[in-house]
Amino acid sequence: MILSRIILGLLAIAPLSGADLKRHFDSTVNHFWSADKAQIYRTLAALVAEGLASVTVVPGTGAPDSQEHRITDAGRAALVAWLTSELDRQPERDAFIARIFLAESLDDEAVGRLLELRRSAALGQLAALEAIEASTGPARTRGEHLRLATLDHGLRHVRTELEWLDIVEEQLP
Amino acid sequence: MILSRIILGLLAIAPLSGADLKRHFDSTVNHFWSADKAQIYRTLAALVAEGLASVTVVPGTGAPDSQEHRITDAGRAALVAWLTSELDRQPERDAFIARIFLAESLDDEAVGRLLELRRSAALGQLAALEAIEASTGPARTRGEHLRLATLDHGLRHVRTELEWLDIVEEQLP
DNA sequence: CACCCCTAGTAGACTTGTCAACTAGGGGGA
DNA sequence: TCCCCCTAGTTGACAAGTCTACTAGGGGTG
């Protein structure tokens, strides 16, 4: 459900193929959602079956043909309906924090290793977010403004994560 | 997999029944994991089948009998193995941020409503975390220290969220 | 007593997401 | 030419998580 609406939202910005979408889920929107390619193609097929999107085959130049999907009017309506619907409560899920919570049988060194792994993951995210930030100019349209705000959201949380790691590591020895 | 290890970790702190675990997933550990009761009971059965936990029926006083699960030696070994294994990379998933990212067809008022919903959710989480914080004394053991650190993690992120909401709402009109 | 509600635990169907292997065609290099 | 690799898309099996409805017993209330 959520994935289908996110895809619809991306199609509302521009027509895309399954491979294009996969690229988005691996980069620009990766900071709030990701998706397996199998799932993307199946969702796309479902959207077409429901009449929320349409397909046209675009002959590939030096690459396989791609199936460009565009949002339909019904699709736009479904998108707005979702955007304004009740917020789906989302469960927090953080396996790393779970480990720290349960780590009493580990020695300081092992906990330190876990923290270091988390730090490098966080630094990776930070770099990815900064790369996106650098590659987008200043917000000119309403849409760009909103997208920048979500980028900022990601950056703030990653920085908070790094600060927390500093503090916890300091307390360890 | 992750859920089974988290349950194992909780059983390592104290023996618990399925209902006890459900209470934990709804309160103390809710800030990093939650679980459906059907899933908890099935996982518990699997742990027993694998020999990682054992059950004893405890006659209920004024309530149905409960099945107390305790971790076995094999269970402790499996727990440590998980705690020190490679970090499972976890995909970010935030349907609310997705909406903001895709909200260009919404007017400011509708976006403002979304932000307000998110704010009240965040305030609810903040209250829940502060309630847990208030109900736990200062950390005396190693385990308590680590658990407090994860609470602090949650608090910091919730506060970051509230700050971000302030800034975005300020920029809206 | 009959009724209702509460807790502990169970079961089935279903949705969502993941993994791995596969087709099909183009292009490039030995 | 043969082989390999790349991209786009497809499929099946499966794991994880959710939703709904259910059994079974205790206890309190009219």
Side-chain angles (χ1 to χ4, degrees), chain A residues 1-4 6 22 25-26 29-37 39-40 43 82 88-94 125 153, chain B residues 89-99 118 161:
Chain A
M1 185 61 209
I2 295 178
L3 180 63
S4 72
I6 293 176
K22 180 57 181 157
F25 283 111
D26 287 344
V29 304
N30 190 260
H31 60 100
F32 61 83
W33 210 271
S34 61
D36 185 83
K37 84 197 246 204
Q39 209 189 342
I40 291 169
T43 304
W82 177 67
D88 6 46
R89 59 148 181 62
Q90 40 194 9
E92 300 291 332
R93 283 186 187 284
D94 192 328
Q125 287 175 251
H153 178 271
Chain B
R89 60 148 181 61
Q90 41 195 9
E92 300 291 332
R93 286 189 183 280
D94 191 328
F96 165 76
I97 295 299
R99 294 198 200 202
R118 175 72 155 204
E161 189 69 23

Side-chain angles (χ1 to χ4, degrees), chain A residues 4 9-10 24 33 37 39 41 45 49 53 55 67 71 73 76 88 90 113 117 124-125 128 133 143 158 160 169 172:
Chain A
S4 72
L10 293 172
H24 276 293
W33 210 271
K37 84 197 246 204
Q39 209 189 342
Y41 283 108
V55 218
Q67 303 182 10
I71 192 168
D73 288 346
R76 281 180 202 281
D88 6 46
Q90 40 194 9
R113 264 194 299 276
L117 286 171
Q125 287 175 251
E133 192 181 37
V158 173
T160 299
E169 291 198 326
L172 261 194

Side-chain angles (χ1 to χ4, degrees), chain B residues 18-19 23 37 41-42 64-67:
Chain B
R23 277 185 286 273
K37 94 198 236 195
Y41 284 107
R42 282 193 260 250
D65 296 354
S66 66
Q67 303 181 10

Side-chain angles (χ1 to χ4, degrees), chain A residues 140-160:
Chain A
R140 323 179 95 265
T141 68
R142 172 183 184 63
E144 283 168 5
H145 185 80
L146 290 165
R147 277 167 242 150
L148 250 192
T150 67
L151 233 189
D152 181 48
H153 178 271
L155 284 165
R156 283 171 186 272
H157 279 278
V158 173
R159 291 198 193 105
T160 299

Side-chain angles (χ1 to χ4, degrees), chain B residues 21-38:
Chain B
L21 282 164
K22 180 57 181 157
R23 277 185 286 273
H24 276 294
F25 283 112
D26 286 344
S27 57
T28 49
V29 304
N30 189 261
H31 60 100
F32 61 82
W33 210 270
S34 61
D36 185 81
K37 94 198 236 195

Side-chain angles (χ1 to χ4, degrees), chain B residues 2-3 25 46 52 79 85 89 101 114 131-132 138-139 160 164 169:
Chain B
I2 295 178
L3 179 63
F25 283 112
L52 306 182
L79 174 59
S85 66
R89 60 148 181 61
F101 189 95
L114 282 179
I132 298 174
T160 299
W164 176 78
E169 290 198 326

Side-chain angles (χ1 to χ4, degrees), chain A residues 33-104:
Chain A
W33 210 271
S34 61
D36 185 83
K37 84 197 246 204
Q39 209 189 342
I40 291 169
Y41 283 108
R42 283 195 258 248
T43 304
L44 238 18
L47 286 174
V48 172
E50 290 171 285
L52 305 182
S54 64
V55 218
T56 32
V57 175
V58 175
T61 57
D65 295 357
S66 67
Q67 303 182 10
E68 214 175 59
H69 290 73
R70 0 179 64 85
I71 192 168
T72 63
D73 288 346
R76 281 180 202 281
L79 174 60
V80 170
W82 177 67
L83 286 173
T84 56
S85 67
E86 279 307 292
L87 240 54
D88 6 46
R89 59 148 181 62
Q90 40 194 9
E92 300 291 332
R93 283 186 187 284
D94 192 328
F96 165 76
I97 294 299
R99 294 199 200 202
I100 300 302
F101 188 95
L102 302 170
E104 61 181 324

Side-chain angles (χ1 to χ4, degrees), chain B residues 29-88:
Chain B
V29 304
N30 189 261
H31 60 100
F32 61 82
W33 210 270
S34 61
D36 185 81
K37 94 198 236 195
Q39 211 189 339
I40 291 170
Y41 284 107
R42 282 193 260 250
T43 304
L44 238 18
L47 287 174
V48 173
E50 289 172 285
L52 306 182
S54 64
V55 218
T56 33
V57 175
V58 175
T61 58
D65 296 354
S66 66
Q67 303 181 10
E68 216 176 57
H69 291 72
R70 359 177 65 83
I71 191 168
T72 62
D73 288 345
R76 282 182 201 279
L79 174 59
V80 170
W82 178 67
L83 286 173
T84 56
S85 66
E86 280 306 293
L87 241 53
D88 5 46

